[in-house]
Amino acid sequence: MAETSTIEWTDATWNPITGCTLASPGCQHCYAADLAATRLAQHPSRAGLARRNAAGVAAWTGEVRLNERWLDQPLRWKRPRRIFVCAHADLFHEAVPDEWIDRVFAVMALAPQHTFQVLTKRAARMRKYVSKLDIYALVETDEWRDADHRVACDDDPNGSPTWHAQTAALEDALSAARTLLEAGKPLPNVWLGVSAEDQQRADERIPDLLATPAAVRFGSFEPLLGPMDVAWALGHPFGIAAGFLQRCHFSPCAEKLRGLDWIIVGGESGRHARPMHPTWARSLRHQAQAAGVPFLFKQWGEWARADKLLPGHPGDVTYWPDGSIGAGNANDNGGPGWSLRRVGKRAAGRRLDGRTWDEMPELAHAHLS
């Protein structure tokens, strides 16, 4: 939990739920599992949730945990901010009961001053849950309403004017959220996204995301482990994009769907980081630009071009214009490739073709379909 965050695409993190399991190759060196197994291993929210193996790689145990004392935290943050939800978990993990997700969505509904960014690898469950979203019976129970009042009035136990004003604000937020859902519209302050590291996972997850009601739908392609074509999932209207139906494992009314509203790309960081080919990142930027979709380049990760450094380093790998990565020095092979060298996240930086890319969807332009 942090009121501020160093993650380039958010302002704060909120971890009402912690714990997860490996879903695909992108999870292999999970930073959150590593933290839970090391620096946060004794913290009540993380203890026992992750362990390191003999090779020093951390993995989740499969246990998930609801952190009750953090659940109402966004209601206490008055300054509007973008909040990354469950940065150290997956809100739609198969072990997380619907009742926990209900409570998270209830808080998001009651805090319209914030923008909540939800990222998952379990896109099919997210689609199923959000499509039948009905959290307001729970919000309106006496237990939840009492909790809201406590949040509003920690310093005003006797019902002062501040107590009444803050309680009224919660009631207004609840009423507005109910009106939207009854009209078949999503919560305007909740952005939904999927994480995908390669083409297979993009093809599996993005169609479910695009069939999920959301104000903003985004793709986080980090760690990027291979070339990726998502042009079929971009643009507005989205339904006419070539190749969409071949990638769908259900039958939506394609002409009513909207494509991704935002793309995030980044390389892997950490001790076991795998290199990212620059061609992969550039291709996704080109696809986003062609569709008029905001593009954010988060980081190169641990690896950077080594062609301007001392040649012949034994740890260098070569990347080639076709997107492949191989061992050896590019100059030794006589080809037009370059060498990559592990230099560390800070030295590698986050500039792509001479500039940073921090484009984001405009809040005022969030869609309601």
Side-chain angles (χ1 to χ4, degrees), residues 183-207:
K185 296 182 179 296
L187 296 176
N189 65 325
V190 178
W191 297 4
L192 300 180
V194 296
S195 175
E197 64 270 34
D198 55 28
Q199 191 69 58
Q200 177 184 337
R201 279 75 195 185
D203 289 350
E204 290 171 352
R205 297 167 186 167
I206 292 176

Side-chain angles (χ1 to χ4, degrees), residues 254-267:
E255 68 273 11
K256 294 183 179 180
L257 295 181
R258 189 185 76 249
L260 295 177
D261 300 301
W262 186 29
I263 286 180
I264 302 168
V265 171

Side-chain angles (χ1 to χ4, degrees), residues 46-110:
R46 310 299 202 285
L49 296 185
R51 300 188 183 94
R52 274 185 172 179
N53 62 20
V57 178
W60 298 107
T61 63
E63 179 186 354
V64 295
R65 185 169 298 155
L66 178 66
N67 301 298
E68 293 266 2
R69 65 192 182 98
W70 288 345
L71 191 59
D72 61 13
Q73 189 68 41
L75 301 179
R76 303 174 187 274
W77 294 342
K78 301 307 178 185
R79 178 177 59 82
R81 63 196 76 185
R82 291 184 297 264
I83 301 174
F84 180 16
V85 180
C86 294
H88 292 184
D90 190 323
L91 181 61
F92 296 99
H93 189 278
E94 50 272 16
V96 175
D98 278 0
E99 291 76 16
W100 293 7
I101 306 176
D102 289 343
R103 299 181 73 179
V104 171
F105 266 83
V107 171
M108 296 191 292
L110 290 166

